[in-house]
């Protein structure tokens, strides 16, 4: 049964919300367990984890495994690339990542970097003026079910891939209006810890802190850019391509999901937990209970 991609759900319905964890442990067992919980998406991290591409395939297979059986559960795997400018690694990630799915690029600072990142995800005919730079081996890779998905090249490889760019510094925040308008950028994902580090106030997330004011400024810029992008899309004849700009991010400490998902703030895509953090919290709780 064909399911609607997370990309299309988010872009076609501003009220649709996606919540999920990030996996840093590089454990396929954790990935499989998380896939049974019912999260909308699961972020597999290659930036700060020990994952290489062969282990990433194991993680993706573990997530995909729960989509069959007596109680199938559909999750959208998102892979965070190690960097935004490693074209060869991006190609390898996409060749093992079955759609519907997503890819996230860290540390985007400028619109030029955004354009190069998006171009690395697209086959030449699928990006403006034939400028996609993804290498073409689609009949022989996992992403196309080794050629069985005949719609992979013309449709699924681009229309069902959620392309997420991380904005993680004060300087990058000011460039959101230009970064967000780049063709093919589906989401801006705010990294609160790196943002706080960029202004030398690491982890200071109090409601009135300079860091939170900067994050709220970034959120406003994403909302405004989303409006501009949708206005332009309404004038386009390419109606098969939903367009807009999704606001996403990690959940900072002390901030409620209810506030982030509210209409006023406008998040649609949030990673609110990390597998190792959840395990540590459970372990401390387990130890504390033994000492009562």
């Amino acid at each position: 049964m064909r399911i609607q991609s997370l990309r299309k759900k988010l872009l076609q319905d501003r009220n649709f919300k996606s919540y999920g964890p990030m996996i840093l442990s590089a454990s396929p067992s954790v990935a499989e367990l998380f896939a049974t919980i019912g999260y909308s998406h699961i972020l597999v991290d290659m930036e700060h984890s020990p994952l290489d591409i062969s282990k990433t395939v194991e993680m993706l297979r573990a997530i995909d495994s729960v989509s069959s059986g007596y109680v199938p559960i559909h999750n959208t795997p998102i892979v965070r690339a190690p960097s935004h400018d490693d074209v060869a690694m991006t190609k390898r990630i996409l060749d093992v990542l079955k759609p519907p799915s997503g890819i996230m690029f860290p540390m985007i600072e400028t619109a030029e970097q955004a354009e190069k990142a998006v171009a690395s995800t697209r086959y030449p005919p699928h990006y403006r003026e034939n400028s996609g730079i993804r290498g073409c081996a689609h009949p022989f890779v996992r992403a196309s079910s080794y050629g069985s998905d005949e719609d992979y090249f013309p449709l699924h490889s681009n229309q069902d891939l959620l392309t997420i760019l991380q904005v993680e510094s004060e300087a990058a925040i000011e460039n959101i209006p230009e970064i967000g308008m780049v063709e093919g950028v589906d989401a801006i994902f705010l990294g609160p810890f790196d943002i706080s580090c960029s202004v030398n106030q690491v982890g200071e997330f109090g409601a009135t802190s300079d860091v939170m004011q900067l994050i709220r400024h970034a959120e406003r810029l994403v909302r405004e850019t989303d409006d501009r992008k949708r206005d332009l899309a309404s004038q386009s004849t390419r109606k098969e391509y939903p367009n807009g700009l999704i606001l996403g991010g990690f959940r900072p400490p002390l901030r409620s999901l209810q506030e982030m998902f509210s209409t006023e703030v406008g998040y649609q895509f949030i990673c609110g937990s990390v597998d190792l953090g959840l395990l540590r919290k459970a372990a401390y709780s387990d130890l504390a209970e033994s000492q009562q």
Side-chain angles (χ1 to χ4, degrees), residues 53-278:
I53 195 67
S54 60
K55 196 65 176 287
T56 298
V57 179
E58 294 180 30
M59 302 284 285
L60 296 173
R61 286 179 176 141
I63 293 170
D64 290 346
S65 69
V66 304
S67 64
S68 60
Y70 289 116
V71 187
I73 300 174
H74 295 286
N75 303 267
T76 298
I78 313 289
V79 176
R80 179 162 68 171
S83 70
H84 65 262
D85 56 359
D86 187 338
V87 175
M89 177 57 74
T90 298
K91 175 171 56 180
R92 298 181 77 191
I93 291 170
L94 294 177
D95 281 350
V96 301
L97 184 60
K98 285 185 177 182
S101 54
I103 188 166
M104 181 184 292
F105 293 103
M107 290 292 181
I108 296 292
E109 295 283 324
T110 65
E112 181 182 12
Q113 290 177 348
E115 289 174 4
K116 290 179 179 178
V118 175
S120 72
T121 70
R122 302 294 198 266
Y123 294 115
H126 299 158
Y127 202 49
R128 52 190 182 193
E129 297 179 0
N130 214 46
S131 62
I133 56 174
R134 179 181 174 187
C136 189
H138 69 91
F140 312 108
V141 298
R142 181 178 185 271
S144 69
S145 296
Y146 305 100
S148 296
D149 181 359
E150 296 180 356
D151 288 328
Y152 178 77
F153 179 84
L155 298 174
H156 303 151
S157 66
N158 55 92
Q159 292 190 27
D160 293 324
L161 178 72
L162 180 64
T163 304
I164 307 166
L165 305 189
Q166 280 193 267
V167 166
E168 305 180 80
S169 73
E170 183 178 25
I173 285 171
E174 297 306 322
N175 291 328
I176 284 175
E178 291 75 35
I179 293 171
M181 290 302 293
V182 170
E183 182 180 341
V185 175
D186 297 319
I188 295 291
F189 189 95
L190 303 179
F193 273 100
D194 278 298
I195 289 171
S196 72
C197 190
S198 77
V199 294
N200 199 27
Q201 297 182 38
V202 180
E204 296 183 19
F205 297 114
T208 60
S209 68
D210 292 341
V211 174
M212 284 309 302
Q213 291 184 38
L214 185 57
I215 290 173
R216 291 191 179 96
H217 174 54
E219 293 163 354
R220 285 193 297 272
L221 291 176
V222 174
R223 292 194 298 268
E224 292 169 0
T225 307
D226 175 43
D227 288 337
R228 287 172 54 211
K229 206 165 187 178
R230 288 178 185 272
D231 286 343
L232 285 176
S234 68
Q235 304 168 30
S236 172
T237 58
R238 298 170 65 189
K239 302 303 182 184
E240 72 273 21
Y241 296 100
N243 217 331
L245 189 64
I246 300 154
L247 173 58
F250 289 117
R251 176 190 184 184
L254 308 178
R255 198 170 190 191
S256 75
L257 289 172
Q258 183 178 10
E259 180 206 356
M260 293 179 74
F261 276 136
S262 68
T263 303
E264 292 74 21
V265 179
Y267 280 87
Q268 288 185 262
F269 183 94
I270 296 175
C271 289
S273 59
V274 178
D275 62 338
L276 295 177
L278 292 173

